[in-house]
Amino acid sequence: MRLSQRLAKVPPYLFVEISRKIAEKRAKGIRVISFGIGDPDLATPDNVVEKLRQSALDRPNHRYPETDGLPAFRQAVARWYQRRFGLSLDPDKEVLPLIGAKEGIGHAALCFIDPGDIALVPDPGYPVYSVGTWFAGGECHWLPLKEESGWLPDLDAITPAVAKRAKVLWINYPNNPTGAVAGPDFYKKAVEFGKRYDVAVLHDACYTEVGYEGYRPQSFLQTPGAMDIGMEFHSLSKSYNMTGWRIGMAVGNANMIKALMTVKSNLDSGVPQAIQYMAIEAMDTPDTYIAERNAIYKSRRDRVVKALQGIGLRVQAPKASLYIWARVPEGYTSAEFTKMLLEERDVVVTPGTGYGKFGEGYIRLSLTISEEDLKVGLERLASLKVPPRSQMLDKSAKS
Ligand SMILES: *Cc1c(COP(=O)(O)O)cnc(C)c1O
């Protein structure tokens, strides 16, 4: 059997060693506390689950859905956009349901990238932007995200030669993994860049509904001109605690939406209709729900930040997103510090290098952890005296 070259391009899974250690510890009965994955522990709202129960009984929902979804779903997205961002979308031309944002982001590469084309991809970043590019035969030009630039890419640093070969620019704010946010000035630059070089600007907007202390992230599409060259990806996963149901949407430029529809209608058969009805119910839920949910995350955010600062880590409370992005102590790499936390405290965090080489020197902690685990995790962190790195290296040499 000969597998495709494209599979060889998938980078080795960075968490192999950590996953093995966690499994070993759990097999020994050790309680391992994980701040690793971003998957809401809080339940999908009751009214939304109830909608699934009712919709499951409706025979038409037992059959194939349409790729472009129920008209009622597309209209609900347009209503939600109007209410949330003050934008009017054409529900029939500018909205497409997705089997989760991840699916849409992966398939979007097939709309734009031919072999040899370039995608501009943030580093650190959500891995699907790069893997999707490679699967389509393209190359990634990495855009380093740095603390001193507020974790925004420097678009002026992209040379004209690279910009001319580029077909897409990926951006993602509020950002995973850094927790950074972007304002209208950055989005304006992205639109200008996209127009100057005829590059599609693709914004992953999965975290617009997770903001703190009244901060409400914007849509990239609110930027003048963005609809001419842009598409935005949303997810019900983080917005309404619906990771298990698999639904999201792409919205934006009608030609881009049509291209994604062409790819998808040839590869998948859409989102189960009962799940689309759940999403309609979720998007029509009053925003007080979001505010109450975010208050829970804010309380977690503040406690995690305080605990990390207490053991000497440099960290800022993010304005949005589910992630705390902290600088590891002097002398440690991300991987070494992650390993030390697991060995000394049975606490799991994600090394920044899991998101790209510019993630070196940082770790990510997710706030999607139950109150019970959070309490134990914080106690364990608080009682940690960060050992000098040399001592840790001695120890691992011996073990
Ligand atoms: C969670 C996440 C997604 C995927 O969302 P789904 O709708 O569950 O597929 C996409 N992008 C980022 C940055 C994420 O963190």
Side-chain angles (χ1 to χ4, degrees):
M1 178 176 50
R2 289 165 302 153
L3 298 175
S4 67
Q5 292 292 319
R6 99 175 29 85
L7 286 182
K9 292 190 175 151
V10 180
Y13 187 55
L14 247 166
F15 312 120
V16 181
E17 202 196 353
I18 296 177
S19 304
R20 189 178 50 78
K21 281 226 166 79
I22 296 170
E24 269 173 31
K25 282 181 181 279
R26 287 194 170 142
K28 282 191 216 151
I30 296 170
R31 181 170 178 190
V32 177
I33 302 291
S34 178
F35 290 92
I37 189 166
D39 183 358
D41 61 300
L42 302 168
T44 304
D46 287 342
N47 57 320
V48 175
V49 178
E50 177 56 27
K51 198 71 185 178
L52 173 69
R53 214 177 57 81
Q54 292 162 9
S55 307
L57 299 173
D58 262 343
R59 290 284 301 274
N61 297 337
H62 297 190
R63 309 190 68 188
Y64 278 127
E66 299 283 353
T67 300
D68 58 356
L70 294 161
F73 171 84
R74 297 195 305 270
Q75 286 154 12
V77 171
R79 255 194 326 273
W80 184 78
Y81 246 75
Q82 183 69 58
R83 186 180 94 228
R84 183 59 183 82
F85 304 116
L87 285 179
S88 308
L89 297 174
D90 179 339
D92 296 329
K93 296 203 172 84
E94 295 170 337
V95 177
L96 188 67
L98 302 172
I99 312 169
K102 183 179 188 178
E103 176 267 309
I105 291 166
H107 281 147
L110 297 176
C111 300
F112 301 100
I113 301 290
D114 286 311
D117 288 344
I118 283 180
L120 302 166
V121 178
D123 174 356
Y126 183 64
V128 187
Y129 317 133
S130 52
V131 175
T133 303
W134 292 324
F135 280 179
E139 294 164 26
C140 295
H141 176 85
W142 303 106
L143 304 179
L145 304 187
K146 296 185 180 162
E147 187 165 2
E148 62 265 28
S149 322
W151 309 104
L152 298 170
D154 180 1
L155 301 180
D156 297 329
I158 302 165
T159 64
V162 168
K164 282 178 193 151
R165 270 180 64 204
K167 302 285 278 293
V168 307
L169 164 64
W170 282 106
I171 54 177
N172 163 223
Y173 296 96
N175 185 257
N176 178 8
T178 67
V181 298
D185 291 350
F186 173 72
Y187 289 146
K188 190 161 162 261
K189 276 193 188 162
V191 169
E192 281 165 9
F193 179 90
K195 291 203 167 185
R196 186 171 333 127
Y197 294 106
D198 197 13
V199 166
V201 181
L202 304 180
H203 182 226
D204 180 350
C206 285
Y207 294 99
T208 58
E209 303 317 294
V210 186
Y212 303 116
E213 296 167 283
Y215 176 70
R216 301 215 79 189
Q218 286 206 332
S219 162
F220 164 68
L221 299 177
Q222 286 169 279
T223 319
M227 283 299 276
D228 300 335
I229 45 108
M231 187 157 58
E232 188 160 78
F233 296 85
H234 284 270
S235 169
L236 279 279
S237 291
K238 319 299 176 15
S239 298
Y240 296 97
N241 307 335
M242 287 176 67
T243 45
W245 307 111
R246 311 310 306 135
I247 184 161
M249 64 269 192
V251 299
N253 180 272
N255 291 327
M256 295 184 183
I257 292 292
K258 197 170 157 204
L260 189 54
M261 165 75 181
T262 302
V263 169
K264 281 175 55 58
S265 60
N266 283 284
L267 292 176
D268 68 57
S269 296
V271 179
Q273 290 186 172
I275 308 281
Q276 295 185 52
Y277 284 115
M278 291 177 84
I280 296 169
E281 177 72 21
M283 287 185 282
D284 285 338
T285 302
D287 283 348
T288 46
Y289 162 77
I290 298 282
E292 284 163 21
R293 191 273 315 269
N294 287 348
I296 298 173
Y297 285 140
K298 181 194 175 286
S299 148
R300 296 178 184 178
R301 177 197 74 165
D302 292 346
R303 285 178 282 161
V304 171
V305 166
K306 200 167 152 222
L308 293 174
Q309 286 172 341
I311 57 171
L313 270 58
R314 187 155 59 74
V315 54
Q316 273 186 348
K319 275 186 165 166
S321 89
L322 293 172
Y323 307 109
I324 306 298
W325 185 242
R327 180 95 194 149
V328 301
E330 204 54 45
Y332 277 92
T333 65
S334 299
E336 285 163 355
F337 192 70
T338 300
K339 199 168 153 203
M340 188 278 290
L341 282 178
L342 184 57
E343 279 169 4
E344 300 289 309
R345 281 296 174 277
D346 301 319
V347 165
V348 177
V349 302
T350 316
T353 39
Y355 306 93
K357 73 172 197 268
F358 286 92
E360 182 55 272
Y362 295 85
I363 50 170
R364 192 196 80 171
L365 287 84
S366 170
L367 301 175
T368 57
I369 175 173
S370 71
E371 282 300 319
E372 304 86 79
D373 277 10
L374 179 64
K375 199 162 157 276
V376 176
L378 293 177
E379 280 164 10
R380 290 186 188 174
L381 286 175
S383 63
L384 176 74
K385 278 219 161 36
V386 177
R389 176 170 171 267
S390 54
Q391 194 180 316
M392 288 309 301
L393 292 180
D394 283 358
K395 214 168 156 181
S396 48
K398 274 178 217 135
S399 67

